[in-house]
Structures are given as structure tokens and as C-alpha cells.
Amino acid sequence: MKWPVSSSTGFVSRTFALRAFSLLMLPLFVLTLPGCFPVVATGMVAGAMSISDRRTTGAQAEDQAIELKAASRLRDRFSSDKAISTSVVSFNRTALITGSAPDAATKLEIGEIVAKVENVRQVVNEIQLDRPTGTMSYTQDVYVTTRVKLTLLDRRTINANAIKIVTESSTVYLMGLVTEKEANEAASLTARVPGVRRVVRAFEIITEDQRRAIERAVESGGSPPETRGQNPRP
């Protein structure tokens, strides 16, 4: 399989490579998970994750635009550099950057490019100073993400559908508008999933009052109110 590149020898955008790979491999991974029924489990992961999104529809659209613009600008800047591989995932206008770069200066430049994308409020730059990973690492990351999703969906005390999961080289990044209790429980459960090397909390922490306001709006058939939480990360 060939991943999306700007030229035949250049920069790899992991954002869309991982998504394409996930769509191809998810049914196979679900088949290998003990106790999971292929059709039902796949529907739970792919469908339920969009039902209870705590972001406004406007924030969701802006997040998609941020990811597209960031990928395009990084591709334009590093089109001929095979030593750089990046993924940008935005949630509630916080842009998480993962992947690899050859040196600290390049990592800093990648962060600055993403920070200048319209509507980005905050950048979490998790680029590692290393060589780009290969197909086996992609496979493992998609598998770990699937395991974490199913683990969180199985726990009724947290709203797993409000959490976005990003895996890079077996490090799991958790994003979402969640309460402190939900964040702690999700991080603890994720850390115990086989194959997870490290858990990074990139949550926005909301109050119980904010959570209840969101749930009331959704239950009444409306859209969630615009909500911003506290991010403990620098």
C-alpha cells in the first residue's frame, strides 16, 4: 500500500494514511478481538462515535477544515523531505500533531505552521525526533486504537463517544470535552489495554454543570452549546 505523499519521494501525511488504513483494516481487527461480533462491533465503533459529540456542529466543521489546511501547508513546505512524517488531528480547535522529524528545529517549524492555520486555538506538538515508522507500526497503531475504543465503549460510567483516540507508535493520545472523573477513568482504562506503551491526556476538562448543559441540549433535540474546558497541558 502506498501512503498519501506530495511526490513520489517526499513528505508523508500520516493523517489521511492512517484513516485510509483504518477503514481497510478495522473489520479484520474486530474479527480478532475476543467476544466481538463483526457487524455489530464495527457499527458501534464507527457509528456511535458521532452521535454524542459534545462539540457544536460549527466546531466539528472547523476541526475538519483545520486538519485539511494543516496537511496541505505541511505538504507544501516539506514536499521533498522523506525524513518527515506528520499527522494533525483537531478537536474543538486544539490541534494535536504527531509523527516524526529529524531535528528540534523542524519540529518547532511544524508546530508554527499548524499554529497559523485559521481557527486553531492551541497546538499540542508531540512530534518525535526519529525516523518515520513503517507499515507494521501503522498496523499496530490501528489495532491499539480499536482495542481502546471498544474498551471505553464497554464502560458505562463514562461517555466514550465524547473521546477521540489517536495512536502513534503505541502511544495513545486522548482528546475530548470530558469531566475530570471521565478523564481519569478513561486514562486508567486505556493504560491497561494490551499494546499501549504510554497514555497522553490532551483533554479539555469541563465541569459537571457544563456536562449537564450539553446533555440537556442534546436530549431536547438541539445542538450542544459552545463549550470550552480547561487544558492542563502547557
Side-chain angles (χ1 to χ4, degrees), residues 16 19 55 58-73 88 90 117-120:
F16 304 107
R19 287 179 182 174
R55 295 171 294 175
Q60 293 178 50
E62 287 182 359
D63 284 334
Q64 292 178 352
I66 286 168
E67 292 174 2
L68 290 169
K69 291 176 182 178
S72 176
R73 294 181 191 184
V88 179
S90 181
V117 172
E118 294 82 350
N119 296 314
V120 170

Side-chain angles (χ1 to χ4, degrees), residues 1-153:
M1 176 180 294
K2 294 183 179 180
W3 306 112
V5 295
S6 58
S7 69
S8 60
T9 60
F11 161 85
V12 178
S13 174
R14 285 178 58 90
T15 305
F16 304 107
L18 282 170
R19 287 179 182 174
F21 193 74
S22 300
L23 290 173
L24 289 172
M25 299 303 293
L26 180 60
L28 176 61
F29 292 148
V30 171
L31 280 170
T32 68
L33 297 177
C36 291
F37 297 94
V39 175
V40 176
T42 303
M44 286 174 59
V45 173
M49 299 303 283
S50 63
I51 294 174
S52 302
D53 200 314
R54 288 174 174 172
R55 295 171 294 175
T56 65
T57 54
Q60 293 178 50
E62 287 182 359
D63 284 334
Q64 292 178 352
I66 286 168
E67 292 174 2
L68 290 169
K69 291 176 182 178
S72 176
R73 294 181 191 184
L74 291 171
R75 185 170 56 247
D76 290 344
R77 172 62 183 88
F78 301 107
S79 61
S80 61
D81 198 333
K82 293 189 294 183
I84 299 172
S85 172
T86 67
S87 173
V88 179
V89 176
S90 181
F91 191 94
N92 210 33
R93 307 175 186 91
T94 291
L96 168 68
I97 315 172
T98 59
S100 58
D103 51 62
T106 304
K107 174 181 177 177
L108 180 61
E109 183 179 359
I110 291 170
E112 291 173 343
I113 290 171
V114 175
K116 292 178 181 177
V117 172
E118 294 82 350
N119 296 314
V120 170
R121 281 195 293 111
Q122 181 180 14
V123 170
V124 179
N125 191 343
E126 287 286 329
I127 290 284
Q128 302 300 306
L129 305 184
D130 203 350
R131 293 178 297 177
T133 55
T135 304
M136 286 303 297
S137 179
Y138 281 16
T139 304
Q140 177 66 15
D141 287 345
V142 173
Y143 181 73
V144 167
T145 297
T146 304
R147 290 293 299 262
V148 172
K149 283 181 178 178
L150 292 174
T151 297
L152 297 184
L153 284 167

Side-chain angles (χ1 to χ4, degrees), residues 202-224:
F203 292 123
E204 281 188 66
I205 303 300
I206 60 175
T207 66
E208 289 292 342
D209 286 343
Q210 287 175 307
R211 178 188 63 78
R212 285 191 287 268
I214 292 170
E215 291 180 352
R216 283 196 299 268
V218 172
E219 288 170 0
S220 64
S223 298

